[in-house]
């Protein structure tokens, strides 16, 4: 997971922190498609998680 985050130019620590705050919001969700927005290659991740190029 860390390597995938790095490969997608994410700040690993910030990405994990984001996941740990966002995933609980979906604990009762039955449609797993909502988790697509949390994947490392998702365009919907906040900018502060991305490394500056």
């Amino acid at each position: 997971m860390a390597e995938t985050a790095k490969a997608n130019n994410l700040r690993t620590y910030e990405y994990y922190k984001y996941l740990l705050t966002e995933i609980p919001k979906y604990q009762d969700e039955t449609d797993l498609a909502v988790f697509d927005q949390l994947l490392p290659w998702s365009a919907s991740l906040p900018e502060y998680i991305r490394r500056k190029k």
Side-chain angles (χ1 to χ4, degrees), residues 33-50:
V34 299
F35 291 105
D36 288 345
Q37 65 190 358
L38 300 176
L39 295 173
W41 50 84
S42 174
S44 65
L45 291 174
E47 281 302 313
Y48 74 90
I49 291 175
R50 301 189 187 285

Side-chain angles (χ1 to χ4, degrees), residues 23-39:
I23 289 173
K25 296 176 184 178
Y26 301 106
Q27 70 183 14
D28 296 327
E29 187 64 51
T30 56
D31 181 14
L32 298 180
V34 299
F35 291 105
D36 288 345
Q37 65 190 358
L38 300 176
L39 295 173

